Amino acid sequence: MRRAPAPLSPEAWLTHMFSAKSAVQGGVLRRKIRDVERYVGREAFLSEMRRRGFSVVENSGQFVIFCNREPIRQVL
């Protein structure tokens, strides 16, 4: 029987997320809201995004995180 890996702390989960190549390069990340709420908590997550100056949109059970400080413009 396989054992489940030890859960990450909220800090470790955020560190892992922001070490992704896309995040490091100022790109876009997508994470399931369910996972964010389970590992970090919605308010703590959004607080960290505000601290970093990143924009976040929510759609269909996903958070889309823009890992830069550029403005977001909806075109359609």
Side-chain angles (χ1 to χ4, degrees), residues 1-73:
M1 178 196 259
R2 295 182 76 185
R3 294 179 59 174
L8 295 173
S9 70
E11 296 80 15
W13 192 85
L14 286 170
T15 298
H16 180 72
M17 183 177 83
F18 288 117
S19 66
K21 184 177 180 181
S22 182
V24 171
Q25 294 177 343
V28 178
L29 297 175
R30 181 177 55 122
R31 293 293 182 271
K32 290 182 181 181
I33 293 172
R34 177 189 72 215
D35 291 343
V36 170
E37 290 173 342
R38 181 172 56 179
Y39 289 110
V40 181
R42 180 184 288 253
E43 285 310 311
F45 173 78
L46 294 175
S47 177
E48 179 64 16
M49 298 308 106
R50 278 189 292 274
R51 187 185 75 76
R52 291 173 180 257
F54 293 169
S55 297
V56 179
V57 296
E58 179 180 338
N59 179 264
S60 189
Q62 300 277 323
F63 281 132
V64 180
I65 306 114
F66 299 87
C67 300
N68 59 63
R69 295 178 179 223
E70 298 297 318
I72 304 299
R73 184 171 53 100

